[in-house]
Amino acid sequence: MPSPRRTARDDELLTASVRAFAARGYFGTSTAQVASEMGVSQPYVIRTFGSKLELFVRTHAHAGAEITRAFREATGEGFDPERLGAAYRTLILSRPEAVLVWAHAFSAATAEPEIGVESRRQFDEVYRTLRDAGASDLDLWAFMGRGMLMNNLLLMQAPHFGDRYDFGPLVDLVFGQRPGSPHGADGAPRLDQE
């Protein structure tokens, strides 16, 4: 069993790996780029995590755990789509890289079977978390569909470019604001603010 120090170091390295893979996904990110984000050498990354594929699968699991944790913490008294949606929106605003890695994995799943296995496992974990909170499949269709719209808008960087397209009002509705305005209709902070 790994020592607590090793676990803490792995957590730190995987958090950096999430940042590295968020921008370009599995296919567009090299292990050298991940190593640079981690502040270690590329040989260290390979020794520690194995192949790029193994590293991405672990990174994807790390990012997915954040998403599942956000939902579990928000289930409270049961399935409340508004409360759970607000938790997911907060995660997107505070840690978009976790959601981006999760979304990138879905697109890589068809080409890399191991990523597909992990993607389906994580999707099932979120599904079970929400079902256990009392959601029906019909509830989940609507709720998770909205979440996937958020993921796709995030992948397209739509919150930063919505004012250039006719879909800007949709971006405002989904995220509550655009970077060009100080606050959205709900008074939420802008996406580009910390």
Side-chain angles (χ1 to χ4, degrees):
M1 175 166 257
S3 69
R5 178 183 162 149
R6 182 72 204 168
T7 301
R9 178 67 172 155
D10 279 357
D11 185 60
E12 177 186 324
L13 294 173
L14 288 170
T15 297
S17 184
V18 167
R19 289 190 305 268
F21 279 115
R24 292 175 195 83
Y26 174 70
F27 296 108
T29 306
S30 69
T31 54
Q33 289 168 315
V34 175
S36 176
E37 185 67 37
M38 288 177 173
V40 299
S41 69
Q42 184 180 18
Y44 179 83
V45 169
I46 298 303
R47 269 194 321 274
T48 304
F49 296 100
S51 68
K52 176 182 164 181
L53 179 60
E54 292 169 310
L55 171 61
F56 185 81
V57 168
R58 286 197 52 198
T59 300
H60 177 36
H62 185 76
E66 284 190 65
I67 293 165
T68 304
R69 186 171 38 255
F71 284 136
R72 282 193 179 127
E73 290 172 359
T75 54
E77 300 289 318
F79 180 75
D80 176 352
E82 294 304 315
R83 185 178 61 243
L84 288 160
Y88 192 61
R89 183 175 173 272
T90 297
L91 179 64
I92 286 175
L93 295 174
S94 64
R95 288 273 295 140
E97 58 274 10
V99 177
L100 285 168
V101 166
W102 209 57
H104 282 306
F106 291 146
S107 65
T110 57
E112 291 292 345
E114 288 181 53
I115 295 173
V117 167
E118 182 60 21
S119 294
R120 290 184 294 276
R121 184 197 68 76
Q122 286 187 40
F123 189 87
D124 192 54
E125 190 170 344
V126 168
Y127 173 84
R128 281 183 288 111
T129 297
L130 298 174
R131 283 290 298 210
D132 291 350
S136 69
D137 283 337
L138 191 58
D139 293 331
L140 290 174
W141 179 15
F143 181 76
M144 294 178 94
R146 285 184 12 220
M148 291 300 174
L149 172 62
M150 293 173 88
N151 293 355
N152 287 330
L153 290 171
L154 190 62
L155 283 166
M156 292 187 297
Q157 299 180 325
H160 297 286
F161 298 101
D163 59 344
R164 298 182 191 176
Y165 299 94
D166 292 338
F167 60 74
L170 177 64
V171 173
D172 289 343
L173 179 64
V174 171
F175 292 105
Q177 77 288 320
R178 275 188 266 163
S181 63
H183 293 286
D186 64 355
R190 295 179 358 204
L191 276 173
D192 57 347
Q193 290 180 335
E194 301 260 310

